[in-house]
């Protein structure tokens, strides 16, 4: 099978988590850069990566990379790519996104239209036609320019991978599913340990944790653009990947995962989302204020996304909220807490300096992942 170079974009600061996931799937890493990991695989790797990866935003087939400092150069070098290898005569193709950083070519709309013209020229000559109906499968292209180096990827995913298909209802400031999964995987939490989210909102942290515990592949219940690419990826490879995902589910897993929120309507939405994800039996949701956070067991984990106060009227409530959270956590004396927030005074009001702090971009928002470590539980005698 032909070896392809595949690009998996991810949240800035979480490349190491994605790299580990790709290696666990059995693929060789080609390069790790800010916000993306490139790896080698065949067409089956496209199916498996889309279905199994929890922390990637999408999977692109790298079709070309070159230097271009003029639009003429961009046109000619785009035209040299063997587009006919990927796009059939009836294929619908367009440059869906162009991004440029520190490059002489920086107008996204110009980059998009020039590349489309170059592709049309190439395919017209190859298929000996003067017009494309473009009424077949979709082949969206994404291009990224960094310091005049153009990298072109064919988007196999379509709707971003954070759309697992379970979140029908969401709260005011939901965290994306891919980011939630990556943050859980950054902690030492394992399925035999307690996990509580005291600001669970629409339930993303508890649901992602339950899916990890039960080994439910995140892309099992959604579709992908490349499923229609029968000229390039045999349909049976999608079926094989889905069957592999079904076989790996652990239906008998026992976990203690809980989600609390002060808003009863939000808790109803979280329950509905957990049901859609097939993990409602693994999570206990409850309407509860952060002041009432407690648990009889020791050595548990709090993983949460507390309010940031992005709206001015909410800012004034934050000192009390974080102070209440800190007091509740203090009572859980053997627990660890992990929280993602953009609130600058987190440590001051929480009442403790974080053991570790990691900068992570949540979209365009700069946030910090504060890590307050508790003691490790004693090793169990075998």
């Amino acid at each position: 099978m032909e070896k392809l170079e595949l690009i998996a974009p991810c949240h800035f600061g979480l490349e190491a988590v994605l790299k580990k996931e790709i290696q666990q799937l059995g693929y060789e890493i080609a390069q790790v850069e800010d916000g993306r990991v490139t790896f080698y695989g065949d067409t089956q790797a496209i199916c498996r990566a889309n279905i199994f990866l929890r922390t990637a935003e999408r999977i692109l087939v790298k079709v070309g990379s070159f230097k271009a400092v003029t639009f003429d150069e961009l046109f000619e070098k785009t035209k040299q790519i063997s587009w006919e290898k990927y796009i059939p005569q009836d294929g619908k193709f367009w440059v869906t996104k162009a991004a440029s950083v520190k490059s002489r070519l920086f107008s996204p709309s110009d980059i998009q239209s020039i590349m489309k013209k170059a592709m049309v020229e190439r395919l017209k000559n190859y298929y000996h036609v003067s017009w494309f109906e473009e009424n077949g499968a979709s082949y969206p292209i994404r291009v990224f320019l960094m310091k005049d180096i153009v990298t072109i990827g064919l988007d196999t995913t379509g709707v971003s991978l954070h759309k697992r298909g379970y979140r029908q209802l969401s709260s005011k400031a939901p965290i994306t599913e891919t980011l939630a999964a990556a943050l859980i995987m950054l902690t030492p939490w394992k399925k035999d340990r307690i996990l509580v989210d005291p600001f669970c909102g629409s339930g993303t942290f508890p649901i992602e944790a339950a899916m990890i515990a039960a080994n439910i592949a995140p892309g099992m219940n959604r579709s992908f653009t490349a499923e229609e690419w029968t000229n390039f990826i045999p349909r049976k490879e999608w079926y094989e990947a889905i069957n592999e995902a079904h076989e790996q589910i652990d239906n008998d897993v026992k976990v203690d995962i809980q989600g609390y929120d002060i808003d009863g309507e939000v808790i109803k939405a979280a329950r509905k989302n957990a049901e859609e994800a097939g993990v409602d039996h693994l999570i206990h949701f409850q309407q509860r204020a952060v002041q009432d956070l407690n648990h009889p067991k020791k050595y548990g984990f709090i993983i949460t996304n507390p309010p940031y106060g992005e709206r001015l009227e909410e800012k004034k409530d934050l000192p009390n909220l974080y102070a209440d959270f800190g007091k509740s956590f203090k009572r859980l004396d053997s627990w660890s807490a992990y929280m993602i927030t953009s609130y600058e005074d987190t440590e001051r009001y929480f009442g403790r300096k974080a053991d570790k702090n990691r900068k992570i971009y949540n979209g365009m928002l700069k946030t910090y992942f504060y890590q307050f470590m508790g003691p490790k539980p004693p090793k169990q005698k075998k």
Side-chain angles (χ1 to χ4, degrees):
M1 275 185 176
E2 189 194 347
K3 200 181 200 184
L4 302 164
E5 233 180 306
L6 304 173
I7 303 168
C10 65
H11 280 274
F12 280 93
L14 296 171
E15 299 84 1
V17 185
L18 176 56
K19 176 187 173 184
K20 190 175 174 186
E21 267 203 288
I22 292 167
Q23 287 172 325
Q24 284 170 343
L25 271 186
Y27 301 114
E28 181 194 343
I29 303 293
Q31 195 177 12
V32 179
E33 299 162 272
D34 284 347
R36 58 181 171 167
V37 179
T38 306
F39 63 104
Y40 298 111
D42 52 16
T43 51
Q44 186 151 45
I46 294 171
C47 311
R48 293 182 74 235
N50 272 300
I51 289 164
F52 285 102
L53 291 178
R54 297 182 192 278
T55 63
E57 292 301 314
R58 61 184 64 251
I59 304 300
L60 310 169
V61 179
K62 185 175 172 182
V63 294
S65 186
F66 51 78
K67 186 173 182 177
V69 294
T70 65
F71 284 120
D72 281 347
E73 211 174 353
L74 179 68
F75 179 90
E76 291 303 332
K77 288 182 177 175
T78 300
K79 193 177 157 189
Q80 284 167 20
I81 292 169
S82 307
W83 291 105
E84 61 279 358
K85 251 172 71 176
Y86 310 100
I87 301 171
Q89 193 172 327
D90 65 349
K92 181 183 175 187
F93 57 96
W94 72 104
V95 181
T96 178
K97 186 166 185 198
S100 177
V101 179
K102 296 176 183 169
S103 298
R104 272 166 275 191
L105 304 179
F106 56 83
S107 161
S109 56
D110 289 337
I111 292 165
Q112 285 167 294
S113 64
I114 281 160
M115 287 182 66
K116 168 80 180 195
K117 280 179 193 151
M119 292 165 69
V120 167
E121 279 303 302
R122 168 87 189 201
L123 292 172
K124 264 178 21 182
N125 292 338
Y126 182 83
Y127 289 118
H128 307 295
V129 292
S130 56
W131 177 257
F132 289 102
E133 290 289 336
E134 297 200 43
N135 55 4
S138 294
Y139 295 81
I141 288 104
R142 288 179 168 247
V143 59
F144 179 67
L145 283 78
M146 178 71 174
K147 294 181 181 172
D148 299 324
I149 300 298
V150 183
T151 303
I152 305 169
L154 198 55
D155 181 11
T156 72
T157 303
V159 176
S160 171
L161 289 175
H162 80 263
K163 300 271 190 186
R164 316 282 205 223
Y166 68 72
R167 197 157 77 183
Q168 311 301 315
L169 303 154
S170 69
S171 56
K172 270 188 303 196
I175 190 165
T176 66
E177 295 85 329
T178 44
L179 180 54
L183 294 177
I184 292 166
M185 290 157 81
L186 266 181
T187 76
W189 178 78
K190 295 284 180 284
K191 60 188 173 188
D192 58 346
R193 306 279 293 275
I194 308 144
L195 188 149
V196 174
D197 180 354
F199 302 98
C200 75
S202 51
T204 312
F205 271 127
I207 291 168
E208 289 295 321
M211 288 174 72
I212 289 167
N215 216 11
I216 296 170
M220 280 177 70
N221 298 312
R222 53 158 290 169
S223 56
F224 306 98
T225 300
E227 285 178 61
E228 303 303 315
W229 299 358
T230 47
N231 63 308
F232 180 47
I233 305 171
R235 190 57 67 84
K236 75 175 178 59
E237 290 186 354
W238 289 102
Y239 295 137
E240 284 164 7
I242 287 288
N243 288 341
E244 182 188 350
H246 275 290
E247 283 164 14
Q248 289 186 13
I249 297 173
D250 180 359
N251 288 312
D252 305 317
V253 68
K254 296 279 185 286
V255 290
D256 186 347
I257 298 172
Q258 302 184 25
Y260 307 141
D261 203 283
I262 198 165
D263 186 334
E265 288 307 305
V266 161
I267 287 292
K268 280 183 196 165
R271 283 196 185 109
K272 184 83 186 114
N273 290 339
E275 213 175 292
E276 290 287 336
V279 293
D280 49 315
H281 61 297
L282 298 174
I283 307 168
H284 172 67
F285 286 111
Q286 191 181 1
Q287 184 178 356
R288 188 189 282 199
V290 73
Q291 298 96 304
D292 305 324
L293 172 63
N294 57 54
H295 199 290
K297 292 181 190 166
K298 291 172 82 71
Y299 307 112
F301 282 75
I302 292 167
I303 304 179
T304 193
N305 173 37
Y308 305 166
E310 286 310 299
R311 285 195 285 274
L312 273 176
E313 68 272 18
E314 292 170 355
K315 269 248 186 322
K316 64 182 190 321
D317 301 329
L318 294 185
N320 286 339
L321 184 83
Y322 280 79
D324 287 341
F325 184 16
K327 283 172 200 160
S328 295
F329 176 60
K330 211 169 181 179
R331 293 196 298 268
L332 298 164
D333 61 349
S334 63
W335 281 48
S336 298
Y338 298 81
M339 69 172 113
I340 181 169
T341 176
S342 66
Y343 184 45
E344 300 284 339
D345 288 325
T346 291
E347 292 168 311
R348 179 181 164 196
Y349 290 109
F350 193 68
R352 179 175 159 182
K353 190 147 178 58
D355 298 295
K356 279 186 183 171
N357 188 357
R358 194 179 184 121
K359 191 195 298 178
I360 288 163
Y361 279 88
N362 185 3
M364 297 308 289
L365 185 66
K366 184 169 72 175
T367 62
Y368 294 93
F369 191 45
Y370 292 97
Q371 304 169 50
F372 303 91
M373 316 291 201
K376 285 184 179 173
K379 283 206 162 64
Q380 291 182 339
K381 292 187 176 75
K382 289 188 179 174

